[in-house]
Amino acid sequence: MNRLNRFAFGSLAATGLWLGLAIAAPAQAQQSTINPEQACRDDAFRFCNNDIPDRAKVGACLRRNARRISRDCRTVVTGGGGTRKTTKKRYRHHS
């Protein structure tokens, strides 16, 4: 019985996550071929397990962890922007 409850809760949470991301994600990300549920399921359980099933909290958590989540989930969460390019700092050495 406990396994059935865990499975039902996991399925419900994943469905809630998918709906939350589909609603919160920009239209640009929604039109892509990436399935938000599949893209973010593992990352949500890994980084935001304590926030499930609250969709808003999971979305905020995934955005906070954007550098640590998978590329596909990052695309869904950030609207396709990916990560920012970092510029290499140049230091001047004075003789």
Side-chain angles (χ1 to χ4, degrees):
M1 181 88 178
N2 192 16
R3 275 190 176 174
L4 182 60
N5 287 341
R6 280 182 139 177
F7 177 75
F9 178 75
S11 297
L12 179 63
T15 301
L17 172 64
W18 181 82
L19 287 173
L21 290 173
I23 292 169
Q28 179 182 12
Q30 288 180 18
Q31 293 173 356
S32 69
T33 59
I34 297 173
N35 180 339
E37 180 181 355
Q38 290 176 346
C40 295
R41 175 184 243 163
D42 292 338
D43 293 318
F45 282 111
R46 184 178 305 124
F47 299 111
C48 311
N49 197 31
N50 293 334
D51 297 324
I52 295 172
D54 188 328
R55 295 180 296 230
K57 286 184 180 180
V58 171
C61 173
L62 289 172
R63 284 188 292 279
R64 274 194 315 273
N65 289 289
R67 290 183 178 199
R68 298 169 58 192
I69 60 179
S70 66
R71 184 182 342 173
D72 286 345
C73 185
R74 189 177 324 123
T75 300
V76 171
V77 170
T78 62
T83 58
R84 284 189 278 168
K85 262 190 169 178
T86 56
T87 57
K88 192 173 183 179
K89 291 185 179 181
R90 297 182 186 195
Y91 296 97
R92 293 185 184 184
H93 295 282
H94 299 285
S95 326

